[in-house]
Amino acid sequence: MPPPPWLPPPPVPPSTKGRLGAAVTRLILTDFRCYASLRVIVEPRSVVLTGPNGAGKTNLLEALSFLAPGKGLRRAAIAEVARRGPGLTAAAGDGGWAVAARVSPVEGPPVDLGTGREPGPLDRPGSDRRVVRVDGEAASGQGVLGERLSVLWLTPDMDGLFRGGASDRRRFLDRLVTALDPDHASRANAYAHAQRERARLLREGRGTDAWLAGLEDAMARHGVALGAARRELVERLSASVSRAVGSFPRAGLALESEVDQWLAEGPALAAEDRLRDALASSRRRDAQVGGAAHGPHRDDLLVRHGPKDLPAGQASTGEQKAVLIALLLAQARVQAGTRTGAPLLLLDDVSAHLDEGRRSTLFEALDGLGVQAWVTGTDRQSFESWEKSAQFLRIEEASVVE
Ligand SMILES: Nc1ncnc2c1ncn2[C@@H]1O[C@H](COP(=O)(O)OP(=O)(O)OP(=O)(O)O)[C@@H](O)[C@H]1O
Ligand SMILES: [Mg+2]
């Protein structure tokens, strides 16, 4: 029922106005990496974490990355994350940890997300499972996290993304797809499972025709769905990244992918048939060589530095970082207005390789998009141009000192 006309409209909290993505306003860590316990309250705008090497800055970003489904920004095993120290080993039978956050979405009331590992010995069944709570209620899987919040990150480990192997680029691409469509992760898992089973049967030489055909059918159905989701994301992202943002270059994106080519040539069902046939006729080769000669596990994401018209891998270190940031900003624009809104951005050591001009453009772009970014660096000077709009936390020896 609409409110009576004589009542003034409810006030919009100033902090949510113009925001396009969810923001974390409270973070509580328990036995997480170097943190025995930490409680941080912030406003729903960007946060800069500074402090010396080893203070715990990246660990804090990693904790935030666990608010999304998956293995977090270090891709760590779940037990590795539990705090270690004298008399405190995971093997000693504890190994529990928790991350709890209050998330303020673009619209609607705040939601409390929690995740972690229940304390207990590592050999207990299910002890490698990450538990999830939404508003205090246990959830059956991590999927619900992706429906509430989307989180993306950039870490120094990704500096070589354009020069390294295709699997890292595929993983990066799939993370972008999943941020927009949380179901993508289960598609990818279903495909990988069928692919592993088929490879095992071929290696052991025990698969009957029907058994192999069943697995190839699963690979074809999930593989084409996977390819179609990648294709759609690359199309949307291409449109968004085709214009420069300040000193962040425009970039060109393309998929190098058999399935993508088939999808360009005809309907998805025809692409499934082609993948099914290609797999069936490569059994002998796959049995000898291992793996599978066809399928989206061979895809690559090709990225070009727009103004230089060069493959991104041939641009300078700083230019490559600028392209990566341009991709994340483009993704944030694509996600704005969707169910989870623009992602929370975790930018670890982001000022390394960025000159002063690019740093200030980045901060302006993040403010302009209305996303909450959590950014780390060793010294505060690199963030001078952000003093007015970001909040600063100094971390030393696993505590917030300012
Ligand atoms: N499971 C764990 N238990 C306890 N301490 C840990 C655990 N894992 C990592 N650490 C410690 O956490 C500390 C902080 O690491 P972190 O990577 O967050 O530092 P940082 O502030 O990002 O430093 P840098 O500026 O060098 O990147 C390190 O000294 C590391 O050894
Ligand atoms: Mg670090």
Side-chain angles (χ1 to χ4, degrees):
M1 197 171 67
W6 60 86
L7 282 183
V12 178
S15 45
T16 41
K17 232 165 121 188
R19 197 148 52 77
L20 295 182
V24 168
T25 55
R26 186 177 72 198
L27 180 68
I28 299 170
L29 309 185
T30 311
D31 286 331
F32 185 89
R33 298 268 186 201
C34 58
Y35 295 100
S37 82
L38 180 83
R39 189 184 163 90
V40 181
I41 309 264
V42 291
E43 288 174 32
R45 48 196 172 91
S46 291
V47 182
V48 177
L49 305 169
T50 63
N53 295 139
K57 305 179 295 293
T58 305
N59 289 347
L60 202 147
L61 296 195
E62 187 186 26
L64 289 165
S65 72
F66 280 116
L67 298 175
K71 297 177 82 177
L73 62 69
R74 283 199 177 97
R75 302 185 9 91
I78 182 153
E80 179 191 323
V81 174
R83 188 167 63 100
R84 307 285 173 90
L88 248 184
T89 58
D94 181 13
W97 57 269
V99 174
R102 173 152 295 174
V103 174
S104 155
V106 180
E107 278 173 28
V111 54
D112 287 331
L113 300 181
T115 186
R117 178 181 182 271
E118 306 273 13
L122 286 171
D123 51 9
R124 188 172 41 97
S127 68
D128 56 350
R129 200 172 308 136
R130 178 145 80 83
V131 293
V132 169
R133 285 179 181 276
V134 175
D135 284 331
E137 300 271 329
S140 60
Q142 298 175 24
V144 289
L145 292 174
E147 289 162 18
R148 299 308 189 113
L149 179 70
S150 133
V151 188
L152 288 171
W153 51 84
L154 201 58
T155 68
D157 280 352
M158 290 156 69
D159 283 349
L161 190 75
F162 300 128
R163 287 188 210 264
S167 65
D168 286 342
R169 283 186 293 277
R170 269 195 309 274
R171 191 179 312 120
F172 175 71
L173 173 64
D174 282 336
R175 215 159 47 227
L176 300 185
V177 181
T178 307
L180 207 55
D181 174 5
D183 291 342
H184 188 65
S186 49
R187 251 175 243 143
N189 285 339
Y191 176 80
H193 178 75
Q195 187 199 342
R196 265 196 314 274
E197 281 297 291
R198 175 179 177 274
R200 189 176 58 81
L201 290 186
L202 289 174
R203 194 174 54 240
E204 294 170 358
R206 329 185 267 121
T208 60
D209 262 0
W211 198 350
L212 285 165
L215 290 170
E216 286 161 1
D217 177 59
M219 283 177 74
R221 283 181 293 106
H222 297 302
V224 169
L226 197 67
R230 287 178 181 164
R231 179 178 169 81
E232 189 190 332
L233 191 270
V234 167
E235 257 170 33
R236 294 173 72 177
L237 202 55
S238 288
S240 175
V241 84
S242 62
R243 63 184 172 85
V245 176
S247 42
F248 290 96
R250 67 193 153 77
L253 295 183
L255 271 174
E256 186 177 73
S257 154
E258 202 176 29
V259 169
D260 189 68
Q261 187 58 40
W262 293 337
L263 286 168
E265 290 166 7
L269 283 177
E272 285 182 20
D273 288 342
R274 288 171 85 166
L275 182 50
R276 219 177 272 114
D277 291 347
L279 288 167
S281 51
S282 64
R283 280 181 199 167
R284 188 195 298 257
R285 176 260 175 215
D286 292 346
Q288 282 164 0
V289 183
H294 300 276
H297 61 285
R298 303 173 69 93
D299 287 3
D300 195 359
L301 174 69
L302 307 182
V303 182
R304 286 184 84 77
H305 188 287
K308 298 252 146 126
D309 197 23
L310 275 178
Q314 289 175 31
S316 79
T317 320
E319 285 169 341
Q320 291 184 43
K321 189 110 177 182
V323 171
L324 264 177
I325 292 174
L327 287 178
L328 282 195
L329 294 175
Q331 172 82 13
R333 285 196 297 270
V334 167
Q335 278 184 237
T338 62
R339 190 166 42 151
T340 55
L344 197 72
L345 293 179
L346 312 177
L347 308 177
D348 195 19
D349 252 332
V350 75
S351 57
H353 309 308
L354 288 188
D355 55 40
E356 173 60 45
R358 283 206 172 81
R359 278 203 298 269
S360 42
T361 320
L362 171 61
F363 305 149
E364 271 167 35
L366 292 170
D367 286 348
L369 272 170
V371 299
Q372 187 186 43
W374 291 68
V375 182
T376 69
T378 47
D379 64 295
R380 190 159 168 163
Q381 283 101 291
S382 339
F383 302 96
E384 240 170 16
S385 58
W386 219 7
E387 291 276 348
K388 281 214 182 75
S389 46
Q391 3 181 20
F392 288 76
L393 297 178
R394 178 149 183 96
I395 301 195
E396 283 175 18
E397 294 181 31
S399 333
V400 174
V401 294
E402 271 170 44

